[in-house]
Amino acid sequence: MRTFNLSRRAVLAGSAGAAALTALPVGQVRAHAAEGAASSYRWRNVFIGGTGFVTGVLFHPSVRGLAYARTDIGGAYRWDSGAAAWIPLTDHLGWDDWNLLGVEAIAVDPAHPDRVYLALGTYAQSWASNGAVLRSDDRGATWARTDLTVKLGGNEDGRGTGERLLVDPRDSDTLWLGTRHDGLLKSTDRGATWAAATGFPGTPSASGQGVTLLVAVGRTLYAGWGDSDGSAANLFRTADGTIWQAVPGQPSGAVAKVPIRAAYDRFTRELYVTYANAPGPNGQSDGSVHKLCTADGKWTDVTPVKPGGTTSDGSADSFGYGGVAVDARRPGTLVVSTNNRWAAVDTVFRSTDGGRHWTSLKDSAVLDVSETPYLKWGADAPKFGWWIQALALDPYDSRHVVYGTGATLYGTRDLKHWAPQIRGMEETSVRQLISPPAGEAHLISGSGDIGVMYHERLTASPSRGMATNPVFGTATGLAQAARKPAYVVRSGWGDHGNGAYSNDGGQTWAPFAAQPSLAKDAPGPIATNADGSVLLWVFAHWDGTKYPAHRSTDDGATWTEISSFPKGATPVADPADPTLFYAYDTDTGTLLASTDSGLTFTERATGLPSGDAQFELVAAPGRSGDLWLSVKGNGLYRSTDGGATFSKVASCWASYTLGFGKAADGADYPAIYLVGSTESITAVYRSDDEAKTWVRINDDRHQWGWTGEVITGDPRVYGRVYLATNGRGIQYGEPV
């Protein structure tokens, strides 16, 4: 998964400092149980299927059918073989812990099958919180937590390397954790406390990768180091946990600059290591695969295909190597994956003779994406994959191979037929939600990376896949005409246009016949008035630059700049009167309105909270001039006169996003849904009495980190609410 609303792009972080490497004392370790307060709501994912970067998959070596998976922003999962589904393990992490939804590494204890450990931390930037380690004795049903004093980077460059967390094979109480900027850490009390490991030779770099992998070879530990320039050692080992030395004879140069992953064949006593000239998943253009015979120290180059050739169309065939896994049942049998191979498309290679000969499994692969049609990305057939760094081979089934991509997890049971194995796993970063008042679908969504989708059913991936004509990567705007719900418009980042409209409720689309030149590089939110006769399109670059809004009255065939519209504001259409639009200027704290269908805007209310571009203005359905303004920690404001005056809502002290749904029986006002604070915590609430009182409808087990993007109720089903998350897809709740 590649995008994030709060600066989700991975950037280089400064050093967290080497002076504070000890975790919180045992007395300050916080325990988090999966059980929370009783809730009257049942929460489930709207099913899309995968939708994000799976960065690691780990089969338990001593328990058939037990596996774990990690993602870059969507938490960790355990495979339930009986249900053939993934069970989310970190949904209990709340609003203040949003940075812990990125999983840096997973570790299991071969000697104690119920033990599992997670190293959490999405960003290593100065503005991000420190990382944490979770430990469980019941396969993730409940957790104990230790907060670290260093930062981890589950969504940084290099997030597909590893694992960086390891249980010492000589002592189950001892754990090792490789960090990006603070060297190697060690715990002797099963992760309760941590300190810097003595004697480790790696020198941390503020812009480097630090420890990229930890793997056990018998009783010897190996550690990959990502901060070498390719000429110095980047693979170390220790036999006693104290003295670390560079592995003699290791490969060097650009093809072996960064050790990505490693796997040990206990039958042949050979350690296989994949390398690349960059940590990935992007930026790799060279790499190799080598094996080390641990019995005699001999290294052998077993690279399946050397990067650097050309494809049939003359494109450069540049790539690195990513995942590697060995067969626990067959000596000399292993799989490795290419990574960042865009021209020829990434593949998984398999060898049955220790790397002397290889077969590309992509060449004979039959991909079945019928369960998740979006994986076609608007094309006739899906790709075998990209960003393949997570690769695993079932220790109890030699023909069961799985690999992660930037959007899903593929698996096979016969080395030929592949299908997504992602039921229960949802990682979408969701940006827009519409619940139509009529029609087949109860939900239309807009997301990062996977565009807009029309959800005929909440329990099945949309049959049309991603909206096409054009296909978007990330959606930036989605709107429906309140009095003409068949009319829907969308905007976003696309290669063949940045806007489209639909006359059948979002089932099929037509691109705008023309678009302002700004649309290609700065597509922003879009709105349509109540009868669908007018479009307002706002343009804003990802770097924060704001541009004038444009208006169209002919489905996007022609556009006119609206100079009186506040740059960067999100237009809001009045749901009852087609002549009315509203906009909130967050720079000045001013509400503006248009009474001529968006031709001109004039100030109405001033002196409101300002300074945050993510303040949200929402119009109550079916009512003219009934506006609600969420201003985060400044609370919630309401206007019933079209924005001329606002009054602060006394019942909540923080409001991040707000939406409406069908009214309760006997109520004359829609149900209101809120992500905000009416008490000490940020949670999800519903009000049936115009925000006079609220009831919390999520619970401590269902929090999903950061949820402040959008929430909306269903106008046809009382109590049903749809909630956007940043990494756990679309959650929907219904009263039990």
Side-chain angles (χ1 to χ4, degrees), residues 62-439:
S62 55
V63 180
R64 181 187 292 271
L66 179 58
Y68 297 90
R70 60 179 168 97
T71 65
D72 56 359
I73 66 165
Y77 295 81
R78 182 186 70 246
W79 180 250
D80 183 334
S81 58
W86 292 97
I87 307 301
L89 300 179
T90 49
D91 283 356
H92 66 278
L93 294 170
W95 180 271
D96 293 337
D97 288 325
W98 68 265
N99 191 53
L100 299 183
L101 264 292
V103 185
E104 186 83 290
I106 301 175
V108 296
D109 187 342
H112 299 85
D114 291 337
R115 294 181 183 177
V116 61
Y117 303 87
L118 303 179
L120 306 179
T122 310
Y123 297 101
Q125 315 308 311
S126 59
W127 42 261
S129 62
N130 291 335
V133 172
L134 300 187
R135 58 193 188 278
S136 174
D137 288 322
D138 51 18
R139 304 186 184 186
T142 60
W143 297 98
R145 167 174 163 174
T146 293
D147 290 328
L148 301 173
T149 57
V150 303
K151 299 179 186 296
L152 304 181
N155 195 38
E156 303 277 353
D157 285 346
R159 56 197 183 273
T161 66
E163 300 296 323
R164 290 178 167 96
L165 185 63
L166 181 69
V167 176
D168 195 310
R170 297 161 301 187
D171 178 8
S172 289
D173 289 342
T174 298
L175 275 72
W176 302 84
L177 173 61
T179 73
R180 293 167 177 268
H181 309 297
D182 299 281
L184 183 65
L185 307 185
K186 181 180 180 180
S187 171
T188 58
D189 53 12
R190 294 192 52 226
T193 60
W194 294 85
T198 58
F200 187 74
T203 302
S205 166
S207 59
Q209 286 295 308
V211 178
T212 60
L213 64 88
L214 293 168
V215 64
V217 176
R219 296 173 65 84
T220 300
L221 308 182
Y222 285 74
W225 186 250
D227 289 358
S228 168
D229 61 3
S231 62
N234 56 26
L235 189 66
F236 304 98
R237 68 186 176 194
T238 180
D240 61 4
T242 301
I243 300 174
W244 289 85
Q245 296 177 327
V247 179
Q250 61 186 272
S252 61
V255 297
K257 183 177 180 181
V258 182
I260 303 298
R261 287 180 175 265
Y264 179 61
D265 188 331
R266 61 185 176 88
F267 297 110
T268 64
R269 298 174 66 184
E270 292 172 323
L271 178 69
Y272 294 86
V273 186
T274 57
Y275 292 93
N277 62 342
N282 286 315
Q284 295 179 345
S285 59
D286 209 346
S288 61
V289 182
H290 290 73
K291 70 176 180 180
L292 168 67
C293 178
T294 60
D296 60 13
K298 179 183 177 181
W299 283 90
T300 305
D301 186 341
V302 292
T303 307
V305 174
K306 305 289 185 182
T310 57
T311 62
S312 58
D313 64 358
S315 301
D317 189 18
S318 61
F319 57 93
Y321 279 90
V324 57
V326 299
D327 194 326
R329 305 169 70 84
R330 298 181 179 182
T333 299
L334 71 151
V335 287
V336 300
S337 66
T338 64
N339 185 68
N340 206 46
R341 195 183 192 188
W342 293 102
V345 181
D346 279 303
T347 187
V348 172
F349 289 104
R350 182 173 184 261
S351 175
T352 59
D353 56 9
R356 288 188 292 273
H357 303 89
W358 296 91
T359 300
S360 172
L361 298 183
K362 177 188 69 176
D363 297 344
S364 60
V366 177
L367 295 179
D368 178 3
V369 297
S370 57
E371 188 177 14
T372 52
Y374 83 92
L375 286 171
K376 293 183 178 180
W377 299 87
D380 294 330
K383 283 185 177 182
F384 189 76
W386 68 99
W387 286 10
I388 303 178
Q389 294 187 294
L391 179 64
L393 208 164
D394 190 335
Y396 291 88
D397 183 351
S398 296
R399 299 173 72 81
H400 183 199
V401 180
V402 296
Y403 66 89
T405 78
T408 193
L409 184 72
Y410 280 110
T412 182
R413 295 282 185 171
D414 61 6
L415 304 179
K416 179 179 180 179
H417 296 87
W418 301 80
Q421 293 188 353
I422 40 65
R423 183 163 291 276
M425 182 183 291
E426 299 286 347
E427 201 197 345
T428 324
S429 174
V430 187
R431 309 298 182 80
Q432 301 93 21
L433 295 174
I434 292 174
S435 185

Side-chain angles (χ1 to χ4, degrees), residues 467-474 476 490-500 510-516 519-521 523 537:
T468 59
N469 201 24
V471 171
F472 291 163
T474 292
T476 60
R490 61 185 172 98
S491 57
W493 295 92
D495 293 334
H496 303 287
N498 301 90
F512 296 152
Q515 64 181 36
K520 182 177 181 181
D521 296 319
W537 197 356

Side-chain angles (χ1 to χ4, degrees), residues 486-557:
Y487 189 76
V488 188
V489 292
R490 61 185 172 98
S491 57
W493 295 92
D495 293 334
H496 303 287
N498 301 90
Y501 67 95
S502 172
N503 282 313
D504 56 14
Q507 299 179 65
T508 61
W509 298 87
F512 296 152
Q515 64 181 36
S517 58
L518 291 166
K520 182 177 181 181
D521 296 319
I526 195 167
T528 182
N529 64 344
D531 63 8
S533 61
V534 176
L535 304 179
L536 285 184
W537 197 356
V538 175
F539 302 100
H541 198 265
W542 63 265
D543 64 4
T545 306
K546 303 174 183 179
Y547 302 97
H550 286 65
R551 178 178 183 268
S552 176
T553 58
D554 51 15
D555 294 327

